[in-house]
Amino acid sequence: MTAPHPTIPPVASRRTVLALGTGALASLVVRPAAATPEALRAAIAEFTKGATAQPGRVRLDIPLLVENGNAVPLTVRVDSPMTAEDHVRRIAVFNEKNPQPNVAVFHLSPRSGRAQVSTRIRLGDSQIIVAVAELSDGSLWSAQAELIVTLPSCAED
Amino acid sequence: MARPLVNVPARARPGEIIEIKALIAHPMETGFRTGPDGALVPRDIIHRFLCTWNGQEIFSADLFPAISANPYLAFTALATQSGTITFRWIDDQGGAQVHSVEITVA
């Protein structure tokens, strides 16, 4: 006869409750990516002259959890050899919920060496940031990031 | 306008890609904020930045109110020949701040 195993109580342990809790929070944070407001779409269409940018080749480095929306470091990189025949002509950055959808437009050339630009931006709310790159052959590529801002830039004073 | 701060290596090899950092003190007033009297503070931002190498444009940017105060830009350039790198910041008042640095490419 073997001694009965100590029964595991069917109630959820503290550990499982905590694990569930973080999971539930994470699922709350994920929102549909298609919810880009009209102003953002209009600003992108103005930059692309109505053409649609395909996702890829652009990398957007931005913290996903921002403590201070007054100065958010942002780096955009585009996968390109930057030669006279094949280079990035322009990179535009857009936001969803600031008073204006435009953030910046960077003009590059083969003399840029690398398609990489860093700056600091203001964010008035938790929102989606979109970067669109226009290449020398006219093709358009984009990337987007969704981030959470705990202290928005407009909450100051 | 204000004193700019740029970071460019003093010398580079031909064909080397160098990193250029440019910072300038500027309030970048968005035009969306209200002052103590409740009226909107008029917009005053640097809306254009240009960088030329011996007169040839290598990088430029159109900036909007969503750029932080004291705008910072970092970008790269292909070193070709020795000469002068000129930076130009243009704000809504029409004022331009120009700053030049020398670079030796050998």
Side-chain angles (χ1 to χ4, degrees):
Chain A
M1 281 293 278
T2 52
H5 286 287
T7 49
I8 297 157
V11 294
S13 71
R14 181 172 171 274
R15 191 171 291 174
T16 53
V17 167
L18 281 176
L20 273 175
T22 49
L25 272 179
S27 63
L28 274 180
V29 162
V30 177
R31 273 173 280 158
T36 47
E38 206 49 53
L40 172 65
R41 247 175 296 162
I44 294 175
E46 198 188 328
F47 176 77
T48 63
K49 296 182 185 75
T52 36
Q54 41 194 327
R57 290 187 73 167
V58 181
R59 246 179 58 212
L60 199 53
D61 281 356
I62 189 163
L64 297 181
L65 180 64
V66 176
E67 269 183 45
N68 184 351
N70 280 305
V72 184
L74 162 84
T75 301
V76 191
R77 287 189 188 90
V78 186
D79 175 23
S80 164
M82 294 304 274
T83 57
E85 305 82 47
D86 181 9
H87 59 269
V88 178
R89 231 186 272 150
R90 294 189 298 165
I91 303 172
V93 182
F94 302 96
N95 69 77
E96 185 192 8
K97 286 183 185 163
N98 281 7
Q100 270 190 336
N102 306 77
V103 176
V105 182
F106 305 114
H107 302 260
L108 307 170
S109 68
R111 282 296 306 274
S112 301
R114 266 197 294 267
Q116 177 182 335
V117 183
S118 302
T119 188
R120 293 184 195 131
I121 68 170
R122 286 182 176 131
L123 292 173
D125 202 351
S126 299
Q127 55 184 303
I128 293 168
I129 300 297
V130 182
V132 182
E134 182 195 66
L135 272 56
S136 53
D137 62 0
S139 64
L140 296 152
W141 300 84
S142 76
Q144 72 172 47
E146 182 171 10
L147 35 94
I148 296 166
V149 180
T150 50
L151 176 66
S153 65
C154 305
E156 209 186 13
D157 66 39
Chain B
M1 248 192 302
R3 198 176 70 90
L5 189 65
V6 298
N7 187 336
V8 179
R11 48 196 315 119
R13 305 200 157 276
E16 189 183 334
I17 295 171
I18 58 163
E19 188 171 31
I20 297 174
K21 296 173 189 161
L23 180 75
I24 188 166
H26 196 281
M28 293 292 275
E29 189 56 61
T30 61
F32 297 110
R33 290 195 318 147
T34 48
D37 55 351
L40 279 181
V41 181
R43 186 183 115 151
D44 178 20
I45 67 163
I46 290 173
H47 62 266
R48 186 96 179 109
F49 169 80
L50 292 122
C51 177
T52 56
W53 189 315
N54 285 345
Q56 189 198 348
E57 184 182 308
I58 55 168
F59 176 84
S60 74
D62 304 319
L63 306 178
F64 291 86
I67 297 292
S68 299
N70 308 325
Y72 164 81
L73 285 162
F75 50 95
T76 56
L78 188 65
T80 49
Q81 77 275 57
S82 300
T84 314
I85 303 176
T86 305
F87 303 87
R88 190 174 278 112
W89 293 261
I90 301 160
D91 73 6
D92 285 346
Q93 321 277 352
Q97 178 75 38
V98 183
H99 185 79
S100 296
V101 292
E102 298 295 322
I103 182 164
T104 309
V105 180

